Amino acid sequence: MDRESTSNPEIYEQRVERSEKLKTNTNHHLQRIAVAWICILLSIQALWIPTPIFAQSPNSPVTFKDVTASAGISFVHSAGKRSSLLPEDVGSGAAFADYDNDGDIDLYVVNNPGPINAEITEASPGNVLYRNDGDGTFTDVTVETGVGDRGYGMGCVFGDYDNDGDLDLYVTNYGPNVLYRNNGDGTFTDVTAEAGVGETRWGTGAAFADYDNDGDLDLYVPNYIDHDLNKLAEAQKVSQQYGQSVPRILNPHSFDPQDNVMYRNNGDGTFTDVTAELGVESHGGRSLQVIFTDFDLDGDLELYVANDLSPNFLYRNNGDGTFTDVSDASWAADFRGSMGLATGDYDGDGDLDLFMSHWIEQENALYSNMWKEEGTIAGTPSKAQGIQPIHLVDDSYGASLGEESLKYVGWGTDLFDYDNDGDLDIFVANGHTFQYLDNYDLLIPQKDQFFRYDGDGVFTDVSAAAGIAALPYRVGRGVAFGDYDSDGDVDMFIVNNHGPAVLLRNEGGNRNNWLHVKLIGKKGNRDAIGARIRIKVGDRIQLREINAGASYLSFNSLTAEFGLAQETAVDWIEVIWPGGDTERFTGIGINKWVVLTKGSGT
């Protein structure tokens, strides 16, 4: 397949013509993959030779500073040597969430206890919860809160599933998952069994969302592969028989995919598995991350599933508690190795676009949502208009994001405004799945990448100017995004496989004006997950969506961050609450955090 195979050719060409920075690439994807594997066998270590670091651009004064140590964070992913088994290489993630309702976001980090066959003891590494002290530092409160799970950790997601006003926590594992109920007093209780969400397969990037608009949060759990340890010896024999330097035990295609699970919230603290009823199992998918988002702007949430080396799935929400598989019809059944997911209105046309990170030689993809451009009227469409098809067009080459990512393996990512200029930018954490041929204990590190949106449909790599290129090369995985120091710009926390995690503080993003918005729903879905927020500032309207579960195996702050550039007033804020109710708020200042409660607007 070539890169146009997931797009509408006519629309794609229109996009190409308007970009002066279009990159062309006529190689067949399968040819790229073949070349990549040859490189692995012949000279894999050449893939990670550092590139020169260029001087900082005067046009990009905003930088990211490593403040991990000064913030009191000492997290190191995993312990002991790799045993060359796939679960050791896939995780883990992190979350920025205000678990104690004190107004600042805390940090939860997922870990694994070491090699798969290692004995788990009280000394084994486990997950860690850091409480934000409000002064730029964190305190490890794992023991007193009771969330130090020592399962073979993958991802995490927060959500107030019981609607009692505080965030609960779901942790996915290579093995039994865990649901922690927040007790509201700084502690959590493991309620996995009584809630009925003890999925035991290889869970990955889960998400909370109210898919049926009944007022409580449902839970979707993607699963990866059936990594049967009893089959590994046979797989290794096949590798040796054919003289393969890269063992088959590290190839996901050597194992059967696992179906995903949709849990419907019963409203009484329990959940029911409704996967088969809804047909959203993503059969054959090898799923790594999912995201709920309202692609057709009709007040209910679609479900997008990112799969590893299997076509991705898009399930359209019919508005009646059911879904329809529109993967092929939407042009979004991406066939590459997909890892991280992010949504946002990068082109400012009033609908939500989709970015995803991919495996090496399978360029990252930016899908432009054509909903508004294909004729939908402004505002929130009615159900009658909902029959319009969803079309997502792969615009990664027109946006100068395709070729730039070919030699990297992308994971955690987000669309966010790092410099508060009103445009959404992109960060991608990179890290190989290839191991050194002369040292199987180590995966090959890579540099991360940062792309600034130029405002004309094109992104520019500003990794050097933003301080990202100066960071040590690591094996990046999950990334959480949020303003942990409450200074008006978005910071990042990166989990690195078999290495130290990194807290990156945004330095200078708040030189431009900004506004951060926290929503509170009434009764059900108190954090308004699934809501869309539109703000009018000057001659521009910006759009954000509140979601729980994105990036890669991670969770971002539930606060919507808006950059205002040099504008000094906000005309209005409009909230499209879950279910479609719309409310407008006025009289809002700038450079502040605001809390908007449903029913209190003008």
Coordinates of all heavy atoms in Angstrom, one line a residue, residues 388-475:
Q388 N -24.5 12.1 7.7 CA -23.3 12.5 6.9 C -22.1 11.6 7.2 O -21.9 11.4 8.4 CB -22.9 14.0 7.1 CG -21.7 14.4 6.4 CD -21.3 15.9 6.8 OE1 -22.2 16.7 6.9 NE2 -20.1 16.1 7.0
P389 N -21.4 11.1 6.2 CA -20.3 10.2 6.5 C -19.2 10.9 7.3 O -19.0 12.1 7.1 CB -19.8 9.7 5.1 CG -20.9 10.0 4.2 CD -21.6 11.2 4.8
I390 N -18.5 10.1 8.1 CA -17.2 10.6 8.7 C -16.1 10.3 7.8 O -15.9 9.1 7.4 CB -17.0 9.9 10.1 CG1 -18.1 10.3 11.1 CG2 -15.6 10.3 10.7 CD1 -18.0 9.5 12.4
H391 N -15.3 11.3 7.4 CA -14.2 11.1 6.6 C -12.9 11.7 7.2 O -12.9 12.9 7.5 CB -14.4 11.7 5.2 CG -15.3 11.0 4.3 ND1 -16.1 11.6 3.4 CD2 -15.7 9.7 4.3 CE1 -16.9 10.7 2.8 NE2 -16.6 9.5 3.3
L392 N -11.9 10.8 7.5 CA -10.6 11.3 8.0 C -9.6 11.1 7.0 O -9.3 10.0 6.5 CB -10.3 10.5 9.3 CG -11.4 10.5 10.4 CD1 -10.9 9.6 11.6 CD2 -11.5 12.0 10.9
V393 N -8.9 12.2 6.6 CA -8.0 12.1 5.5 C -6.5 12.2 6.0 O -6.2 13.1 6.8 CB -8.2 13.3 4.5 CG1 -7.2 13.4 3.4 CG2 -9.6 13.2 3.9
D394 N -5.7 11.3 5.6 CA -4.3 11.2 6.0 C -3.6 12.4 5.3 O -3.3 12.4 4.1 CB -3.7 9.9 5.6 CG -2.2 9.8 6.1 OD1 -1.7 10.8 6.6 OD2 -1.7 8.6 6.1
D395 N -3.2 13.4 6.1 CA -2.6 14.6 5.6 C -1.2 14.8 6.1 O -0.6 15.9 6.2 CB -3.4 15.9 6.0 CG -3.2 17.0 5.1 OD1 -2.7 16.8 4.0 OD2 -3.5 18.2 5.5
S396 N -0.5 13.7 6.5 CA 0.7 13.7 7.2 C 1.9 14.3 6.4 O 2.7 15.0 6.8 CB 1.1 12.4 7.8 OG 0.9 11.3 6.9
Y397 N 1.8 14.0 5.1 CA 2.9 14.5 4.2 C 2.6 15.9 3.9 O 3.6 16.7 3.8 CB 3.0 13.6 2.9 CG 3.9 12.4 3.2 CD1 3.5 11.3 3.8 CD2 5.3 12.5 2.8 CE1 4.3 10.2 4.0 CE2 6.1 11.4 3.0 CZ 5.6 10.3 3.7 OH 6.5 9.2 3.9
G398 N 1.4 16.3 3.6 CA 1.1 17.7 3.4 C 1.5 18.6 4.6 O 1.8 19.8 4.5
A399 N 1.4 18.0 5.8 CA 1.7 18.7 7.0 C 3.2 18.6 7.4 O 3.6 19.2 8.5 CB 0.8 18.2 8.2
S400 N 4.0 18.0 6.6 CA 5.4 17.8 6.9 C 5.6 17.0 8.2 O 6.5 17.3 9.0 CB 6.1 19.1 7.0 OG 6.2 19.7 5.7
L401 N 4.8 16.0 8.4 CA 5.0 15.1 9.5 C 5.3 13.7 9.1 O 5.5 12.8 10.0 CB 3.7 15.1 10.4 CG 3.4 16.4 11.1 CD1 2.0 16.3 11.7 CD2 4.4 16.7 12.2
G402 N 5.3 13.4 7.8 CA 5.5 12.0 7.4 C 6.9 11.5 7.3 O 7.4 10.7 8.1
E403 N 7.6 12.1 6.4 CA 9.0 11.7 6.2 C 9.9 11.9 7.4 O 10.8 11.2 7.7 CB 9.6 12.4 5.0 CG 11.0 12.0 4.6 CD 11.5 12.7 3.4 OE1 10.7 13.2 2.6 OE2 12.7 12.8 3.2
E404 N 9.5 13.0 8.2 CA 10.3 13.3 9.4 C 10.3 12.3 10.4 O 11.1 12.3 11.3 CB 9.7 14.7 9.9 CG 10.0 15.9 9.1 CD 9.1 16.0 7.8 OE1 8.2 15.1 7.7 OE2 9.4 16.9 7.0
S405 N 9.3 11.4 10.4 CA 9.2 10.4 11.4 C 9.6 9.0 11.0 O 9.4 8.0 11.8 CB 7.7 10.3 11.9 OG 6.8 10.0 10.9
L406 N 10.0 8.8 9.8 CA 10.2 7.5 9.2 C 11.2 6.6 10.0 O 11.1 5.4 10.1 CB 10.7 7.6 7.8 CG 9.6 7.8 6.7 CD1 10.2 8.1 5.4 CD2 8.6 6.6 6.7
K407 N 12.3 7.2 10.5 CA 13.3 6.4 11.2 C 13.1 6.2 12.7 O 13.9 5.7 13.4 CB 14.7 7.0 10.9 CG 14.9 8.3 11.5 CD 16.4 8.8 11.2 CE 16.6 10.2 11.8 NZ 18.0 10.6 11.6
Y408 N 11.9 6.6 13.2 CA 11.6 6.6 14.6 C 10.4 5.6 14.9 O 9.6 5.4 14.0 CB 11.3 8.0 15.1 CG 12.4 8.9 15.0 CD1 12.4 9.9 13.9 CD2 13.5 8.9 15.8 CE1 13.5 10.8 13.7 CE2 14.6 9.8 15.7 CZ 14.5 10.7 14.6 OH 15.6 11.6 14.4
V409 N 10.4 5.1 16.1 CA 9.3 4.3 16.6 C 8.6 5.2 17.6 O 9.1 5.5 18.7 CB 9.7 3.0 17.3 CG1 8.5 2.2 17.7 CG2 10.6 2.2 16.3
G410 N 7.4 5.7 17.3 CA 6.7 6.7 18.1 C 5.7 6.1 19.1 O 5.1 5.0 18.8
W411 N 5.5 6.7 20.2 CA 4.7 6.2 21.3 C 3.8 7.3 21.9 O 2.9 7.8 21.2 CB 5.5 5.5 22.4 CG 6.4 4.4 21.8 CD1 7.7 4.5 21.3 CD2 6.1 3.0 21.8 NE1 8.2 3.3 20.9 CE2 7.2 2.4 21.2 CE3 5.0 2.2 22.1 CZ2 7.3 1.0 20.9 CZ3 5.1 0.8 21.9 CH2 6.2 0.2 21.3
G412 N 4.1 7.7 23.1 CA 3.3 8.8 23.7 C 3.2 10.1 22.9 O 4.3 10.5 22.4
T413 N 2.1 10.7 22.8 CA 1.9 11.9 22.0 C 0.7 12.7 22.4 O -0.2 12.2 23.1 CB 1.8 11.5 20.5 OG1 1.8 12.6 19.7 CG2 0.5 10.7 20.3
D414 N 0.7 14.0 22.0 CA -0.5 14.8 22.2 C -0.4 16.0 21.2 O 0.6 16.4 20.7 CB -0.5 15.3 23.6 CG -1.9 15.9 24.0 OD1 -2.9 15.5 23.4 OD2 -2.0 16.7 24.9
L415 N -1.6 16.5 21.0 CA -1.8 17.8 20.3 C -2.1 18.8 21.4 O -3.2 18.8 22.0 CB -3.0 17.7 19.3 CG -2.7 17.0 17.9 CD1 -4.1 16.5 17.3 CD2 -2.1 18.0 17.0
F416 N -1.2 19.7 21.6 CA -1.4 20.7 22.6 C -0.6 22.0 22.3 O 0.3 22.0 21.5 CB -1.0 20.2 24.0 CG 0.5 20.0 24.2 CD1 1.3 21.0 24.9 CD2 1.2 19.0 23.6 CE1 2.6 20.8 25.1 CE2 2.6 18.8 23.7 CZ 3.3 19.8 24.5
D417 N -1.0 23.1 22.9 CA -0.4 24.4 22.6 C 0.7 24.7 23.5 O 0.5 25.3 24.6 CB -1.5 25.5 22.6 CG -1.1 26.8 22.1 OD1 0.1 27.0 21.7 OD2 -1.9 27.7 22.1
Y418 N 1.9 24.4 23.2 CA 3.0 24.5 24.1 C 3.5 26.0 24.3 O 4.0 26.3 25.4 CB 4.2 23.7 23.7 CG 5.2 24.3 22.7 CD1 6.5 24.7 23.1 CD2 4.8 24.6 21.4 CE1 7.4 25.2 22.2 CE2 5.7 25.1 20.5 CZ 7.0 25.5 20.9 OH 7.9 26.0 20.1
D419 N 3.2 26.8 23.3 CA 3.7 28.2 23.4 C 2.5 29.2 23.5 O 2.8 30.4 23.5 CB 4.6 28.6 22.2 CG 3.9 28.3 20.9 OD1 2.7 27.8 20.9 OD2 4.5 28.5 19.8
N420 N 1.3 28.7 23.7 CA 0.1 29.5 23.9 C -0.1 30.6 22.8 O -0.5 31.7 23.1 CB 0.2 30.3 25.3 CG -0.1 29.3 26.4 OD1 -0.9 28.4 26.3 ND2 0.6 29.6 27.6
D421 N 0.2 30.2 21.6 CA 0.0 31.1 20.5 C -1.4 30.8 19.8 O -1.7 31.5 18.8 CB 1.1 31.0 19.4 CG 1.2 29.6 18.7 OD1 0.4 28.7 19.2 OD2 1.9 29.5 17.8
G422 N -2.1 29.9 20.3 CA -3.4 29.6 19.8 C -3.5 28.4 18.8 O -4.6 28.0 18.4
D423 N -2.3 27.8 18.5 CA -2.2 26.7 17.6 C -1.8 25.4 18.4 O -1.1 25.5 19.3 CB -1.2 26.9 16.5 CG -1.6 28.1 15.6 OD1 -2.8 28.2 15.3 OD2 -0.7 28.9 15.2
L424 N -2.3 24.3 17.9 CA -1.9 23.0 18.5 C -0.6 22.4 17.9 O -0.5 22.3 16.7 CB -3.0 22.0 18.4 CG -4.3 22.4 19.1 CD1 -5.4 21.3 18.8 CD2 -4.1 22.6 20.6
D425 N 0.3 22.1 18.8 CA 1.6 21.5 18.4 C 1.6 20.0 18.7 O 0.7 19.5 19.4 CB 2.7 22.3 19.1 CG 2.5 23.8 19.0 OD1 2.6 24.4 17.9 OD2 2.2 24.4 20.0
I426 N 2.7 19.3 18.4 CA 2.8 17.9 18.6 C 4.1 17.5 19.2 O 5.2 17.8 18.7 CB 2.6 17.1 17.2 CG1 1.2 17.4 16.6 CG2 2.8 15.6 17.4 CD1 1.0 16.8 15.2
F427 N 4.0 16.7 20.2 CA 5.2 16.0 20.8 C 5.0 14.5 20.6 O 3.9 14.0 20.7 CB 5.3 16.3 22.3 CG 6.4 15.5 23.0 CD1 7.7 16.0 22.9 CD2 6.1 14.4 23.7 CE1 8.8 15.3 23.5 CE2 7.2 13.6 24.3 CZ 8.5 14.1 24.2
V428 N 6.1 13.8 20.3 CA 6.1 12.4 20.2 C 7.4 11.8 20.9 O 8.5 12.2 20.7 CB 6.2 11.9 18.7 CG1 6.1 10.4 18.6 CG2 5.1 12.5 17.9
A429 N 7.1 10.9 21.8 CA 8.2 10.2 22.5 C 8.6 9.0 21.6 O 7.7 8.2 21.2 CB 7.7 9.7 23.9
N430 N 9.8 8.8 21.4 CA 10.3 7.8 20.5 C 11.2 6.8 21.3 O 11.9 7.2 22.3 CB 11.2 8.4 19.3 CG 10.3 9.2 18.4 OD1 9.2 8.9 18.1 ND2 10.8 10.4 18.1
G431 N 11.3 5.6 20.8 CA 12.1 4.6 21.4 C 12.0 3.2 20.7 O 10.9 2.8 20.4
H432 N 13.1 2.6 20.4 CA 13.1 1.4 19.6 C 12.4 0.2 20.3 O 12.3 0.1 21.5 CB 14.5 1.0 19.2 CG 14.9 1.4 17.8 ND1 14.2 1.0 16.7 CD2 15.9 2.1 17.4 CE1 14.7 1.5 15.6 NE2 15.8 2.2 16.0
T433 N 12.0 -0.7 19.4 CA 11.6 -2.0 19.9 C 12.7 -3.0 19.5 O 12.6 -4.2 19.8 CB 10.3 -2.5 19.2 OG1 10.4 -2.4 17.8 CG2 9.1 -1.7 19.7
F434 N 13.8 -2.5 18.9 CA 14.9 -3.3 18.5 C 15.9 -3.4 19.6 O 16.2 -2.3 20.3 CB 15.6 -2.8 17.2 CG 14.7 -2.6 16.0 CD1 15.0 -1.6 15.1 CD2 13.6 -3.4 15.8 CE1 14.2 -1.4 14.0 CE2 12.8 -3.3 14.7 CZ 13.1 -2.3 13.8
Q435 N 16.5 -4.5 19.8 CA 17.6 -4.7 20.8 C 18.9 -4.7 20.1 O 19.1 -4.9 18.9 CB 17.4 -5.9 21.6 CG 17.3 -7.2 20.7 CD 16.8 -8.4 21.5 OE1 16.2 -8.3 22.6 NE2 16.9 -9.6 20.9
Y436 N 20.0 -4.4 20.9 CA 21.3 -4.5 20.4 C 21.6 -5.9 20.0 O 21.3 -6.8 20.8 CB 22.3 -4.0 21.4 CG 22.4 -2.5 21.6 CD1 21.8 -1.9 22.7 CD2 23.0 -1.6 20.7 CE1 21.8 -0.5 22.9 CE2 23.0 -0.2 20.9 CZ 22.4 0.3 22.0 OH 22.4 1.6 22.2
L437 N 22.3 -6.1 18.9 CA 22.6 -7.5 18.5 C 23.7 -8.1 19.3 O 23.8 -9.3 19.4 CB 23.0 -7.5 17.0 CG 21.9 -7.1 16.0 CD1 22.5 -7.1 14.6 CD2 20.7 -8.0 16.1
D438 N 24.5 -7.2 19.9 CA 25.6 -7.7 20.8 C 25.2 -7.6 22.3 O 26.1 -7.9 23.1 CB 26.9 -7.0 20.5 CG 26.8 -5.5 20.7 OD1 25.7 -5.0 20.9 OD2 27.8 -4.8 20.6
N439 N 24.0 -7.1 22.6 CA 23.6 -7.0 24.0 C 22.1 -7.0 24.1 O 21.4 -6.0 24.0 CB 24.1 -5.7 24.6 CG 23.9 -5.7 26.1 OD1 23.1 -6.5 26.7 ND2 24.5 -4.7 26.8
Y440 N 21.5 -8.2 24.2 CA 20.1 -8.3 24.2 C 19.4 -7.7 25.5 O 18.2 -7.6 25.6 CB 19.7 -9.8 24.1 CG 19.8 -10.4 22.8 CD1 19.6 -11.8 22.5 CD2 20.3 -9.7 21.7 CE1 19.7 -12.4 21.3 CE2 20.5 -10.2 20.4 CZ 20.2 -11.6 20.2 OH 20.3 -12.1 19.0
D441 N 20.2 -7.3 26.4 CA 19.7 -6.7 27.6 C 19.1 -5.3 27.4 O 18.3 -4.8 28.2 CB 20.7 -6.6 28.7 CG 21.2 -8.0 29.2 OD1 20.5 -8.9 29.0 OD2 22.3 -8.0 29.8
L442 N 19.5 -4.7 26.3 CA 19.2 -3.3 26.1 C 18.4 -3.1 24.8 O 18.7 -3.7 23.7 CB 20.4 -2.5 26.0 CG 21.3 -2.5 27.3 CD1 22.6 -1.7 27.0 CD2 20.5 -1.9 28.5
L443 N 17.4 -2.2 24.8 CA 16.8 -1.7 23.6 C 17.5 -0.5 23.1 O 18.1 0.2 24.0 CB 15.3 -1.4 23.9 CG 14.4 -2.5 24.2 CD1 13.0 -2.0 24.5 CD2 14.3 -3.5 23.1
I444 N 17.4 -0.2 21.9 CA 18.2 1.0 21.3 C 17.4 2.3 21.6 O 16.2 2.4 21.2 CB 18.4 0.8 19.8 CG1 19.3 -0.5 19.6 CG2 19.1 2.0 19.2 CD1 19.5 -0.8 18.2
P445 N 18.0 3.3 22.2 CA 17.3 4.5 22.4 C 17.2 5.4 21.2 O 18.0 5.2 20.2 CB 18.2 5.2 23.5 CG 19.6 4.7 23.2 CD 19.4 3.2 22.7
Q446 N 16.3 6.3 21.3 CA 16.1 7.3 20.2 C 15.8 8.7 20.8 O 15.5 8.8 22.0 CB 15.0 6.9 19.3 CG 15.2 5.7 18.4 CD 14.1 5.4 17.5 OE1 12.9 5.5 17.8 NE2 14.4 5.2 16.2
K447 N 15.9 9.7 20.0 CA 15.6 11.1 20.5 C 14.1 11.3 20.3 O 13.4 10.7 19.4 CB 16.3 12.1 19.7 CG 15.9 12.3 18.2 CD 16.6 13.6 17.6 CE 16.0 13.8 16.2 NZ 16.6 15.0 15.6
D448 N 13.5 12.1 21.1 CA 12.1 12.5 21.0 C 12.0 13.6 20.0 O 13.0 14.2 19.6 CB 11.5 12.9 22.3 CG 11.6 11.7 23.4 OD1 11.4 10.6 23.0 OD2 11.7 12.0 24.6
Q449 N 10.7 13.9 19.6 CA 10.5 14.9 18.5 C 9.4 15.9 19.0 O 8.4 15.5 19.6 CB 10.2 14.3 17.2 CG 11.3 13.6 16.5 CD 10.8 12.9 15.2 OE1 10.0 12.0 15.3 NE2 11.3 13.4 14.1
F450 N 9.6 17.2 18.6 CA 8.6 18.2 18.9 C 8.4 19.0 17.6 O 9.3 19.5 16.9 CB 9.1 19.1 20.0 CG 7.9 19.8 20.7 CD1 7.5 19.4 21.9 CD2 7.3 20.9 20.1 CE1 6.4 20.0 22.5 CE2 6.2 21.5 20.7 CZ 5.8 21.1 21.9
F451 N 7.1 19.1 17.2 CA 6.7 19.8 16.0 C 5.8 21.0 16.4 O 4.7 20.8 17.0 CB 6.0 18.9 15.1 CG 6.8 17.7 14.6 CD1 6.7 16.5 15.3 CD2 7.6 17.8 13.6 CE1 7.4 15.4 14.9 CE2 8.4 16.7 13.2 CZ 8.3 15.5 13.8
R452 N 6.2 22.2 15.9 CA 5.4 23.4 16.1 C 4.5 23.6 14.9 O 5.0 23.5 13.8 CB 6.3 24.6 16.3 CG 5.5 25.9 16.7 CD 6.4 27.1 16.7 NE 7.0 27.3 15.4 CZ 8.3 27.7 15.2 NH1 9.1 27.8 16.2 NH2 8.7 27.9 13.9
Y453 N 3.2 23.9 15.2 CA 2.3 24.2 14.1 C 2.6 25.6 13.6 O 2.6 26.6 14.3 CB 0.9 24.0 14.5 CG -0.1 24.2 13.4 CD1 -0.1 23.3 12.3 CD2 -1.1 25.2 13.4 CE1 -1.0 23.4 11.2 CE2 -2.0 25.3 12.4 CZ -2.0 24.4 11.3 OH -2.9 24.6 10.2
D454 N 2.7 25.8 12.2 CA 3.0 27.1 11.6 C 1.8 27.9 11.3 O 1.9 29.0 10.9 CB 3.8 26.9 10.3 CG 5.2 26.3 10.6 OD1 5.7 26.4 11.8 OD2 5.8 25.7 9.7
G455 N 0.6 27.2 11.5 CA -0.7 28.0 11.2 C -1.1 27.9 9.8 O -2.1 28.6 9.4
D456 N -0.4 27.2 8.9 CA -0.8 27.2 7.5 C -1.0 25.7 7.0 O -0.8 25.4 5.8 CB 0.2 27.9 6.6 CG 1.7 27.3 6.8 OD1 1.8 26.4 7.7 OD2 2.6 27.8 6.2
G457 N -1.3 24.8 7.9 CA -1.4 23.4 7.6 C -0.1 22.6 7.7 O -0.1 21.4 7.5
V458 N 1.0 23.3 8.1 CA 2.3 22.7 8.1 C 2.9 22.8 9.5 O 2.7 23.8 10.2 CB 3.2 23.3 7.1 CG1 4.6 22.7 7.1 CG2 2.6 23.2 5.7
F459 N 3.6 21.7 9.8 CA 4.4 21.7 11.1 C 5.9 21.8 10.8 O 6.4 21.3 9.8 CB 4.1 20.4 11.9 CG 2.7 20.3 12.4 CD1 1.6 20.0 11.6 CD2 2.5 20.6 13.8 CE1 0.3 19.9 12.1 CE2 1.2 20.5 14.3 CZ 0.1 20.1 13.5
T460 N 6.6 22.3 11.8 CA 8.1 22.5 11.7 C 8.7 21.8 12.9 O 8.3 21.9 14.0 CB 8.5 23.9 11.7 OG1 8.0 24.6 10.5 CG2 10.0 24.0 11.7
D461 N 9.7 20.9 12.7 CA 10.4 20.3 13.7 C 11.3 21.3 14.5 O 12.2 21.9 14.0 CB 11.3 19.2 13.1 CG 12.0 18.3 14.2 OD1 12.1 18.7 15.4 OD2 12.3 17.2 13.9
V462 N 10.9 21.5 15.8 CA 11.6 22.5 16.6 C 12.2 21.8 17.8 O 12.4 22.4 18.9 CB 10.7 23.6 17.1 CG1 10.2 24.5 15.9 CG2 9.5 23.1 17.8
S463 N 12.5 20.5 17.6 CA 13.1 19.7 18.7 C 14.3 20.4 19.3 O 14.5 20.4 20.6 CB 13.4 18.3 18.2 OG 12.3 17.7 17.7
A464 N 15.2 20.9 18.5 CA 16.4 21.6 19.0 C 16.0 22.8 19.8 O 16.5 23.1 20.9 CB 17.4 21.8 17.9
A465 N 15.2 23.7 19.1 CA 14.9 25.0 19.8 C 14.1 24.8 21.1 O 14.3 25.6 22.0 CB 14.1 25.8 18.8
A466 N 13.3 23.8 21.2 CA 12.5 23.5 22.4 C 13.2 22.8 23.5 O 12.7 22.5 24.5 CB 11.2 22.8 22.0
G467 N 14.5 22.4 23.2 CA 15.3 21.7 24.2 C 15.1 20.2 24.2 O 15.7 19.5 25.0
I468 N 14.3 19.7 23.3 CA 14.0 18.3 23.3 C 15.2 17.5 22.8 O 15.6 16.4 23.3 CB 12.8 18.0 22.5 CG1 11.6 18.7 23.1 CG2 12.5 16.5 22.4 CD1 11.2 18.3 24.5
A469 N 15.9 18.0 21.7 CA 17.0 17.3 21.1 C 18.2 17.2 22.0 O 19.1 16.4 21.8 CB 17.4 18.0 19.8
A470 N 18.3 18.1 23.0 CA 19.4 18.1 24.0 C 19.3 17.0 25.1 O 20.2 16.8 25.8 CB 19.6 19.5 24.6
L471 N 18.1 16.4 25.2 CA 17.9 15.4 26.2 C 18.6 14.1 25.8 O 18.8 13.8 24.7 CB 16.4 15.1 26.3 CG 15.5 16.3 26.8 CD1 14.0 15.9 26.7 CD2 15.8 16.7 28.2
P472 N 19.0 13.3 26.8 CA 19.6 12.1 26.5 C 18.7 11.2 25.7 O 17.5 11.2 25.9 CB 19.9 11.5 27.9 CG 19.9 12.6 28.8 CD 18.9 13.6 28.3
Y473 N 19.3 10.4 24.8 CA 18.5 9.5 24.0 C 18.0 8.3 25.0 O 18.8 7.8 25.7 CB 19.3 8.8 22.9 CG 19.5 9.7 21.7 CD1 19.7 11.1 21.9 CD2 19.6 9.2 20.4 CE1 19.9 11.9 20.8 CE2 19.8 10.0 19.3 CZ 20.0 11.4 19.5 OH 20.2 12.2 18.4
R474 N 16.7 8.1 24.9 CA 16.1 7.0 25.7 C 15.1 6.2 25.0 O 14.8 6.5 23.8 CB 15.5 7.7 27.0 CG 16.5 8.3 27.9 CD 15.8 8.7 29.3 NE 16.8 9.1 30.2 CZ 17.1 10.4 30.6 NH1 16.4 11.4 30.0 NH2 17.9 10.7 31.5
V475 N 14.5 5.2 25.6 CA 13.5 4.4 25.0 C 12.2 4.8 25.5 O 11.6 4.3 26.4 CB 13.8 2.9 25.3 CG1 12.8 2.0 24.6 CG2 15.2 2.5 25.0

